[in-house]
Amino acid sequence: MTSAPQAGPGAASTANTPDAADAPDAPGDGAATSADGARGLAERAAALGRELATALVSAGDEARLAAQLRELAARLGGLAGPAPADGTPPADTRARPAAHHGQEPASRSGAVGPDEDDSPVRRGDITPISSPRNPLAPPLVIEREADGSAVGRASLPLQYQGPPERVHGGIVCLMLDQVLGSAAHPKGAAPAYTRVLEVEYLAATPLDAPLTVRGWIERTEGRKRFLAGTVAHGDTITARATGLWVAPREAG
Ligand SMILES: CCCCCCCCCCCCCC(=O)SCCNC(=O)CCNC(=O)[C@H](O)C(C)(C)COP(=O)(O)OP(=O)(O)OC[C@H]1O[C@@H](n2cnc3c(N)ncnc32)[C@H](O)[C@@H]1OP(=O)(O)O
């Protein structure tokens, strides 16, 4: 096990999404403004979802929370249109997740095309750990260092708890998968899948505390990229991982 590569703090660039996904959505100013507005809306809605999730799992005054939620629901009433009598979501909303099933690796986490309804909105990064627009994600903010390694930072609230006061081991593994996956994709590299991910849990990963997740390529053999990484709280490495990312044969 080698130590994580070091790089100057100013050298980082955002790597939550592949490079292609960071390109403007459309050349025209109007289209870009519309897409930016929709992205802001999605991210605000996701942030609200996170706040709600934290509130729902936190001990507190449940009656007050219920009253606040009633008030919020009343204020939002009508925004999403009338609810069906049986309470099921509209058919077009239910159909959307299925559209993700057939995505290729290149589009899985970022470089997605336009929505099926030709909306100018692009989904961008929708991964459940790092996407600002996915309320399931904390989100983990991932940056790429000048040396090609990836660094993710997050503080995980109570809804990510496993054992009391510790982050769930599956979430630790998810963070490593995402950050090592980012490091596995230097610019121009063929899309690759996680083939092996081995995690050692060395110490408690604390909730509500700044965590740093690092990932880097140890070596490359043809279509195989061998990765390593760590999760740390301050100077304490709470987990470390090794992994193998493999580009499908047909990717060349
Ligand atoms: C730019 C685009 C994307 C950007 C994304 C950025 C962020 C991304 C973040 C994403 C985060 C989310 C991430 C996710 O969620 S990724 C989703 C979870 N992972 C998957 O779905 C992958 C499922 N597996 C497969 O699809 C196939 O196995 C693939 C296509 C990967 C390879 O199938 P293929 O049939 O072609 O090959 P193979 O499987 O027989 O074997 C492959 C090679 O590996 C060697 N091998 C096997 N085991 C070991 C071992 N233990 N030590 C050493 N070597 C080992 C083995 O000998 C062979 O080598 P060789 O004999 O060929 O030399």
Side-chain angles (χ1 to χ4, degrees):
M1 183 84 187
T2 58
S3 60
Q6 298 297 314
S13 66
T14 299
N16 268 10
T17 55
D19 298 310
D22 293 333
D25 289 304
D29 284 343
T33 302
S34 159
D36 290 348
R39 184 175 296 124
L41 174 63
E43 292 182 8
R44 281 193 183 88
L48 182 62
R50 286 182 198 106
E51 294 290 339
L52 180 58
T54 305
L56 288 174
V57 299
S58 302
D61 184 342
E62 292 196 3
R64 185 164 165 263
L65 178 60
Q68 287 174 326
L69 289 178
R70 266 197 301 277
E71 185 191 326
L72 182 62
R75 287 168 65 181
L76 292 176
L79 281 184
D86 66 355
T88 54
D92 60 343
T93 310
R94 280 181 316 216
R96 281 176 184 269
H100 295 282
H101 293 335
Q103 284 180 358
E104 294 304 310
S107 62
R108 184 169 34 106
S109 347
V112 289
D115 283 350
E116 310 78 52
D117 60 0
D118 288 334
S119 156
V121 179
R122 288 172 187 255
R123 289 198 184 88
D125 176 3
I126 58 163
T127 55
I129 189 69
S130 61
S131 170
R133 66 172 55 190
N134 185 340
L136 297 179
L140 180 74
V141 176
I142 304 177
E143 296 178 319
R144 191 179 296 283
E145 303 285 273
D147 62 3
S149 64
V151 181
R153 292 184 175 84
S155 175
L156 304 189
L158 191 57
Q159 63 263 37
Y160 299 99
Q161 179 173 255
E165 297 176 20
R166 297 177 179 215
V167 176
H168 193 291
I171 300 297
V172 171
C173 185
L174 175 56
M175 291 194 293
L176 285 162
D177 195 9
Q178 188 70 28
V179 172
L180 270 61
S182 291
H185 288 89
K187 193 168 180 157
Y193 291 102
T194 317
R195 178 65 170 76
V196 178
L197 183 59
E198 185 173 294
V199 180
E200 289 183 82
Y201 298 91
L202 305 171
T205 300
L207 291 169
D208 289 317
L211 303 174
T212 305
V213 187
R214 295 182 185 277
W216 61 93
I217 295 180
E218 290 275 8
R219 67 181 195 283
T220 299
E221 293 174 12
R223 65 198 180 101
K224 292 182 286 187
R225 298 165 213 162
F226 293 85
L227 277 289
T230 56
V231 176
H233 172 237
D235 293 335
T236 305
I237 305 266
T238 66
R240 67 178 169 225
T242 54
L244 169 61
W245 265 250
V246 178
R249 283 192 181 84
E250 59 272 21

